């Protein structure tokens, strides 16, 4: 994956789509820093095997957390949010936002956690091992396609509500599996 120069973060962010999570430091730097520009709500909570820190560079957003005593954290430029390992969290931009995420550089466990919009119960969880050399949007799009295709996974076992399909087009993610 092509890495961006950190010095040109705002310029590089103009080229990025939602939740691109592009590594910006040399390949041997650990922790690694990823860059993302987001204008749409993240469609699922994401959990990382390692601790992570989210730093907001522009815009405003709210980080939502599951399974913690803190439910949400409002962010403005300069704010940092520490997310403990394994904690599902998602980003809700209030406006277009540029963020940095500090993560481990080695391939690691990730999980997409889908939650019911009606009652908040966990609907479905998909797990994978992620290498930073693979484009995050390709992985997130595939996870979303699998969720969209599984009506049982989208139906809440607690309240019976069915989650709407995720719009890959709205997020700017690949709509088809790459060859």
């Amino acid at each position: 994956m092509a890495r961006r120069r950190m010095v040109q973060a705002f310029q590089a962010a103009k080229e990025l789509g939602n939740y691109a999570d592009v590594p910006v430091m040399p390949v041997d730097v650990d922790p690694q820093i990823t860059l993302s520009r987001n204008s749409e709500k993240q469609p699922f909570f994401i959990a990382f095997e390692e601790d992570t820190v989210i730093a907001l560079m522009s815009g405003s957003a709210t980080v939502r957390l599951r399974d913690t005593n803190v439910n949400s954290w409002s962010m403005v430029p300069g704010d940092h949010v520490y997310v403990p390992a394994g904690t599902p969290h998602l980003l809700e931009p209030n406006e277009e936002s540029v963020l940095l995420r500090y993560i481990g550089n080695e391939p690691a466990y990730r999980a997409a956690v889908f939650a019911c919009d009606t009652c908040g119960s966990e609907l479905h969880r998909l797990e994978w091992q992620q290498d930073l050399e693979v484009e995050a949007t390709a992985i997130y799009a595939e996870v979303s396609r699998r969720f969209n295709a599984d009506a049982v996974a989208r139906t809440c076992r607690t309240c019976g509500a069915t989650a709407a399909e995720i719009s890959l087009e709205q997020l700017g993610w690949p709509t088809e599996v790459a060859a």
Side-chain angles (χ1 to χ4, degrees), residues 26-152:
V27 71
D28 60 339
V29 173
D30 194 5
Q32 184 57 247
I33 301 173
T34 63
L35 176 68
S36 191
R37 177 184 51 84
N38 311 299
S39 58
E40 300 294 326
K41 177 182 173 186
Q42 195 170 356
F44 49 77
F45 289 82
I46 190 162
F48 289 75
E49 178 179 15
E50 67 273 350
D51 296 345
T52 185
V53 174
I54 300 169
L56 194 68
M57 294 179 62
S58 71
S60 63
T62 301
V63 176
R64 303 247 177 245
L65 303 148
R66 289 183 62 85
D67 309 326
T68 68
N69 59 349
V70 176
N71 295 325
S72 65
W73 193 277
S74 296
M75 298 181 75
V76 295
D79 284 348
H80 291 67
V81 173
Y82 165 74
V83 181
T87 303
H89 59 286
L90 69 75
L91 187 77
E92 290 180 350
N94 300 321
E95 58 189 308
E96 185 172 278
S97 302
V98 174
L99 68 86
L100 300 175
R101 183 186 297 271
Y102 296 77
I103 59 175
N105 200 19
E106 297 299 317
Y109 154 88
R110 303 280 190 268
V113 179
F114 297 91
C116 179
D117 288 334
T118 303
C119 72
S121 295
E122 185 173 316
L123 295 175
H124 191 61
R125 181 181 293 247
L126 290 168
E127 301 176 357
W128 67 93
Q129 186 84 6
Q130 186 166 341
D131 183 325
L132 291 179
E133 294 302 314
V134 178
E135 289 188 30
T137 55
I139 294 169
Y140 300 158
E142 179 58 24
V143 164
S144 297
R145 275 191 289 279
R146 289 181 186 188
F147 181 70
N148 286 348
D150 190 343
V152 173

